[in-house]
Amino acid sequence: GRLAELNARLAQQPFRCPVLLCPFTPNPYKSGGDEVVLRFAKFLTGPLKAEAEQRTGVTFPASRAMISGVSLGGYLAIEVFLRQPESFCALGTAQGAFGPQQAARYARGVEQACARVGRRRVEILTSSFDPYRKNNELFARYLRQRKQAARLRVSPGPHDQRWLNESGVIEMLLCAEDAFAEQRAEAR
């Protein structure tokens, strides 16, 4: 059913030309922990962003930048967002690999970040057989309890590359498109 919805939406309005940056994702669980996350956040919003802007000839203010990631990348996207929320208009996590205690902590962190920098949209994707599904659903519930803008989508499938290739990437691109459309509407 969701495939028909996606095709109808894309037929109505195709993707605009996004710029996707997909850097190597470090594993902060192996060594370095918080220091690895801090260095990664600085790299994303510093040299990587500058290089992308130079190569494309386009500037990416926060209103045109969303951070998202899949699995461990979803965990890192949240961690980076909490450290530098002013750099992004939205946060996305697809099958985010984090625990239930982190879900509560992340919701509090998003609330505090938004109190500092203004409302930000949060997109949470998971799948029916994702081992992290319940934690992602908890994150969405905690965000809603805190009156934070959050959308949860659960699509069929496992926690694997096939799900990511078949629907995860398309869903997250649509989330980004929605976030950017919201920013354009607010700017008017």
Side-chain angles (χ1 to χ4, degrees):
R2 181 66 178 146
L3 181 59
E5 291 174 26
L6 290 171
N7 285 334
R9 178 169 171 182
L10 290 170
Q12 182 181 14
Q13 181 175 344
F15 285 127
R16 293 192 175 101
C17 185
V19 175
L20 302 174
L21 304 178
C22 303
F24 172 79
T25 303
N27 185 345
Y29 291 124
K30 287 196 174 179
S31 66
D34 199 49
E35 180 58 33
V36 170
V37 174
L38 286 170
R39 282 196 328 263
F40 189 61
K42 288 178 183 176
F43 168 71
L44 291 177
T45 59
L48 183 62
K49 179 180 182 273
E51 181 71 16
E53 288 176 336
Q54 189 272 324
R55 286 184 185 214
T56 63
V58 176
T59 302
F60 299 106
S63 63
R64 296 191 56 200
M66 174 181 182
I67 187 163
S68 60
V70 178
S71 193
L72 177 64
Y75 154 80
L76 276 169
I78 297 168
E79 291 284 342
V80 169
F81 176 85
L82 294 179
R83 286 165 175 77
Q84 297 188 347
E86 67 283 350
S87 299
F88 310 100
C89 70
L91 163 65
T93 179
Q95 299 181 328
F98 53 84
Q101 298 84 2
Q102 287 168 297
R105 183 173 64 81
Y106 288 158
R108 281 191 308 277
V110 168
E111 178 183 43
Q112 292 165 354
C114 291
R116 286 193 324 271
V117 301
R119 185 180 161 289
R120 298 295 193 263
R121 184 182 184 120
V122 180
E123 297 284 349
I124 304 165
L125 303 176
T126 187
S127 61
S128 54
F129 300 111
D130 178 13
Y132 299 101
R133 176 181 174 179
K134 293 213 180 305
N135 302 335
N136 282 266
E137 290 172 333
L138 270 176
F139 182 40
R141 186 174 340 130
Y142 291 146
L143 285 167
R144 283 191 216 107
Q145 288 171 353
R146 294 173 175 281
K147 308 283 191 263
Q148 297 302 307
R151 181 169 61 178
L152 170 69
R153 179 168 300 282
V154 181
S155 64
H159 184 108
D160 65 5
Q161 194 67 37
R162 184 173 176 195
W163 175 86
L164 179 62
N165 291 339
E166 289 180 357
S167 65
V169 169
I170 293 169
E171 293 278 9
M172 193 54 77
L173 285 170
L174 288 173
C175 291
E177 187 72 23
D178 290 346
F180 300 148
E182 193 174 90
Q183 288 293 314
R184 288 189 298 272
E186 288 177 8
R188 290 183 200 142

